[in-house]
Amino acid sequence: MSAKKEPSIWQGFKAFLMRGNVVDLAVAVVIGAAFTNIVNSVVKGIINPLVGAFGTQNLDGYSSCLKGPCTGTGDSATGVRILWGSVLGATLTFVVTAAVVYFLMVLPMSKYLARQEARRKAREGTQEVIEVTELEVLKEIRDALVAQRGSGHDRP
């Protein structure tokens, strides 16, 4: 009887790391982290100054007092403040991030994949036409041979 050798923990770990999904996920995280810097720069350099034209560039400063008196900042603040400016800033950052990802990554990639799919279908379509044509030719040859044999058997 031969005992089946179980893979070691190290071999299992190596197999886990070598799976395509793990590598793809790691690449996506690294690219996402680098892309975050670009989006943050767009928000800080373009969006915030545009918003600043109507008020302040720092949206965190916008707040409303729910229960007064609202004085002070940080730990010494009194009253109940609603910091709607920070929510607005986070929302703008999200919208800009989503727009940049969609228009610079998703839309061009989907158009590229659609073109690739159309080319693949066009190639398959021509192959099918050729295959159907070849099949028809072979059927015609077969029919001609059968007809020729049939006429040959009728001769005395």
Side-chain angles (χ1 to χ4, degrees):
M1 234 192 259
S2 65
K4 221 176 190 184
K5 186 177 179 184
E6 293 185 25
S8 69
I9 293 175
W10 179 248
Q11 289 172 334
F13 182 67
K14 278 180 23 181
F16 169 73
L17 288 180
M18 291 303 157
R19 274 196 246 163
N21 294 343
V22 174
V23 174
D24 291 342
L25 183 60
V27 169
V29 167
V30 170
I31 294 295
F35 191 70
T36 300
N37 290 334
I38 294 171
V39 172
N40 288 338
S41 295
V42 169
V43 170
K44 183 179 177 184
I46 297 173
I47 302 299
N48 284 350
L50 288 175
V51 172
F54 301 105
T56 179
Q57 287 188 16
N58 185 5
L59 294 177
D60 293 339
Y62 291 111
S63 65
S64 296
C65 187
L66 188 61
K67 182 178 177 185
C70 291
T71 58
T73 58
D75 292 337
S76 64
T78 61
V80 178
R81 289 183 190 254
I82 296 178
L83 303 174
W84 60 270
S86 61
V87 174
L88 179 63
T91 303
L92 281 174
T93 300
F94 172 77
V95 169
V96 168
T97 303
V100 169
V101 167
Y102 180 75
F103 290 112
L104 295 182
M105 297 175 89
V106 173
L107 190 62
M109 183 58 76
S110 64
K111 286 184 179 181
Y112 171 76
L113 292 175
R115 281 195 309 264
Q116 292 294 94
E117 183 66 19
R119 287 180 188 153
R120 185 187 64 79
K121 284 185 179 180
R123 279 193 306 256
E124 286 179 0
T126 57
Q127 287 176 350
E128 288 176 11
V129 168
I130 291 171
E131 289 173 9
V132 169
T133 305
E134 288 175 5
L135 184 61
E136 289 175 359
V137 169
L138 290 174
K139 284 181 181 179
E140 290 175 10
I141 292 171
R142 180 200 62 198
D143 294 342
L145 288 173
V146 168
Q148 199 175 37
R149 282 187 196 156
S151 65
H153 289 299
D154 290 345
R155 289 185 188 170

